[in-house]
Amino acid sequence: MINQLDFTVKDGIPVTSLARTYLDIAGSANESQLESGIAEGERLGIIDFRALADVLERANGRKGATRLRRVLERWNPEFAETNPGLEELFFNLCRDHGLPAPTCNALVEGLEVDCLWKAQRLVVELDSIRHHGNRPALSRDYGRDMRLRAAGYEVHRYTHEMTTRRGGEVAESIKSALSRRTPRGGSK
């Protein structure tokens, strides 16, 4: 039964609130799908985290409540700045391997980079075959990398396959780079 706080009537049709809809979706979606949905809601400016907490208080053991709680407990607003697809996968990889969250889609030296750890001057670019798998794109990418390296940034490039099938290796490579490049005084 739906609590009256969880629905409204629009044009004579009862509809659930967005928070209740997230709870309902949590019953069948996996955590990654749920995170993507919350990120999209945040990008669109329609998500209300207080309403999500309220709906969870009324969940009474409802299927998906535990999953939604877990996702919200580890929610990082930076996730909403990622682009769907490869960037979301990479952001999850960072979280799952205990890496600090990068700033996504940051402007560096006049270039938008996929992921940035500013203090360490570390850039990660995520390359799909679709956008980076031809000669002009490769030439452009190498030119960007040269410009970033000349400005003192270390640049790493990872493909979808590397991110999904060799995530542990990718994470270790980034951990190593972050530890090498940690500014004096240990600040991250």
Side-chain angles (χ1 to χ4, degrees):
M1 179 140 194
I2 297 179
N3 185 305
Q4 285 189 332
L5 296 172
D6 296 332
F7 79 93
T8 188
V9 176
K10 178 89 171 154
D11 298 327
I13 300 169
V15 294
T16 58
S17 68
L18 183 59
R20 175 54 190 259
T21 301
Y22 276 111
L23 177 61
D24 292 341
I25 290 169
S28 59
N30 65 42
E31 289 186 17
S32 179
Q33 292 168 324
L34 196 53
E35 286 172 338
S36 295
I38 291 170
E40 185 62 22
E42 195 164 16
R43 273 191 287 274
L44 294 171
I46 60 173
I47 200 156
D48 179 347
F49 287 98
R50 181 69 236 157
L52 284 168
D54 291 345
V55 84
L56 281 169
E57 285 178 24
R58 297 187 299 275
N60 298 327
R62 185 162 173 78
K63 183 179 178 185
T66 301
R67 184 175 298 132
L68 182 57
R69 251 187 219 96
R70 268 195 316 262
V71 167
L72 292 174
E73 284 170 1
R74 68 174 188 242
W75 180 253
N76 184 327
E78 284 284 338
F79 187 76
E81 299 302 317
T82 64
N83 289 322
L86 186 53
E87 287 182 21
E88 283 183 10
L89 288 171
F90 183 77
F91 196 87
N92 287 334
L93 180 142
C94 290
R95 184 200 59 230
D96 294 346
H97 288 272
L99 291 166
T103 300
C104 297
N105 304 310
L107 201 60
V108 177
E109 297 295 315
L111 303 169
E112 185 177 297
V113 299
D114 293 331
C115 301
L116 170 69
W117 286 269
K118 187 175 182 178
Q120 292 85 0
R121 299 177 72 83
L122 177 66
V123 169
V124 167
E125 293 286 10
L126 303 165
D127 298 342
S128 66
I129 295 298
R130 179 176 168 201
H131 296 290
H132 300 268
N134 58 54
R135 284 180 190 216
L138 286 172
S139 181
R140 182 185 65 241
D141 290 344
Y142 290 158
R144 289 168 50 91
D145 292 357
M146 283 185 350
R147 184 169 162 186
L148 291 166
R149 286 185 181 114
Y153 289 86
E154 183 173 327
V155 181
H156 291 225
R157 288 189 172 274
Y158 301 109
T159 63
H160 183 275
E161 185 271 336
M162 293 169 79
T163 303
T164 57
R165 295 189 181 162
R166 297 168 49 200
E169 291 175 58
V170 169
E172 284 305 313
S173 174
I174 294 167
K175 281 179 187 175
S176 175
L178 289 172
S179 68
R180 276 193 324 274
R181 298 182 67 84
T182 295
R184 296 198 198 290
S187 148
K188 291 187 180 186

